[in-house]
Amino acid sequence: MRIRLLMLGKTRRPEMRAILEDYLKRIGRSCPIEITEVRNGDAAVKRLDSDRAATFILLDAAGKNLDSDALAKWLGELRDRGTRELVFLCGDADGFPDPVRRRALQKFSLSPMTFSHELARVMLAEQLYRAFAILSGSPYPK
């Protein structure tokens, strides 16, 4: 299974980018992962259209809430079923345009609280790393 984070806009703050890259490096030991940053919603729709076989998950405050163990179980099930690519859609400060929202059949929420889009990206990466650590039996999640 391969994971891609499709992000509207850039992670500009150097400290957030450094933390994000650190988690991506850690996740990369368990699963190939990459970030694709696009300028706007139209560019995101084009990317989604070119990746029709992927499973898309939109990060949205109104999405399904999962704890870390449930996220790990869900990822493990997808991996074991042979899912090829998982794409997490991360919005910018303005959220997502409707065409992007319609393409994602699943929506997850990181929290009912509101966070900056840069911090939300770091939180997603940390939770993905934590999920893979849970699946591997690592002591990290404790």
Side-chain angles (χ1 to χ4, degrees), residues 50-63:
S50 68
D51 297 328
R52 290 200 178 269
T55 300
F56 301 105
I57 298 92
L58 183 86
L59 295 183
D60 186 74

Side-chain angles (χ1 to χ4, degrees), residues 2-142:
R2 183 175 142 220
I3 294 178
R4 187 156 32 101
L5 308 180
L6 180 59
M7 301 181 173
L8 271 61
K10 294 191 177 281
T11 305
R12 299 192 187 282
R13 294 177 57 193
E15 62 276 13
M16 293 292 186
R17 178 154 298 281
I19 296 168
L20 185 58
E21 288 174 3
D22 179 56
Y23 279 118
L24 293 179
K25 185 177 173 183
R26 294 179 189 200
I27 295 166
R29 295 181 199 131
S30 300
C31 173
I33 186 166
E34 68 179 56
I35 290 180
T36 302
E37 293 179 330
V38 295
R39 181 176 300 155
N40 57 33
D42 292 337
V45 170
K46 286 180 186 176
R47 293 295 267 184
L48 296 176
D49 287 342
S50 68
D51 297 328
R52 290 200 178 269
T55 300
F56 301 105
I57 298 92
L58 183 86
L59 295 183
D60 186 74
K64 183 177 182 179
N65 287 305
L66 297 176
D67 63 19
S68 298
D69 289 325
L71 178 63
K73 181 180 177 192
W74 179 78
L75 279 174
E77 289 171 355
L78 288 177
R79 179 193 62 196
D80 295 346
R81 280 190 300 201
T83 298
R84 291 179 135 185
E85 185 173 21
L86 199 54
V87 179
F88 287 90
L89 304 166
C90 307
D92 60 9
D94 296 323
F96 298 97
D98 285 335
V100 174
R101 285 185 171 283
R102 286 192 296 269
R103 284 297 309 276
L105 299 177
Q106 296 184 22
K107 295 179 175 93
F108 285 175
S109 174
L110 292 173
S111 169
M113 291 189 255
T114 303
F115 297 100
S116 73
H117 65 282
E118 290 180 324
L119 183 56
R121 294 168 182 191
V122 170
M123 292 169 56
L124 171 63
E126 193 280 336
Q127 284 301 301
L128 291 172
Y129 173 66
R130 183 176 295 272
F132 283 111
I134 289 168
L135 290 172
S136 71
S138 166
Y140 174 79
K142 296 189 177 7

